[in-house]
């Protein structure tokens, strides 16, 4: 089933003249979207924790930045490939 789907996607890509960089752009865009959704909830929770105890600022900052590393990893992967 997956082979059939992969063949169908390949045929559509060939007929529509989609450049090979479109897949890379889609991958980075989806990684950025996922990181943004994750940062939204983590940031809200971190701000609530910091409002209760200001000593948690460093931990909240680190936890907020972690999802962004996924986008950086996606960009590095695109440049390597």
């Amino acid at each position: 089933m997956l082979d059939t789907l992969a063949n169908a996607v390949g045929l559509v890509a060939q007929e529509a003249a989609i450049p090979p960089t479109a897949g890379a752009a889609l991958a980075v865009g989806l990684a950025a979207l996922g990181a943004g959704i994750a940062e939204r909830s983590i940031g809200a929770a971190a701000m609530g924790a910091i409002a209760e105890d200001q000593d948690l600022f460093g931990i909240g900052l680190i936890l907020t930045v972690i999802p962004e590393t996924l986008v950086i990893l996606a960009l590095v992967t695109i440049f390597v490939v």
Side-chain angles (χ1 to χ4, degrees), residues 13-63:
Q14 288 175 357
E15 290 181 15
I18 298 174
T21 56
L26 183 64
V28 173
L30 290 175
L33 181 66
I37 292 170
E39 286 179 14
R40 175 184 62 186
S41 59
I42 293 171
M47 289 298 107
I50 292 169
E52 295 288 329
D53 184 11
Q54 291 189 4
D55 293 335
L56 297 174
F57 176 75
I59 295 171
L61 182 66
I62 290 171
L63 290 176

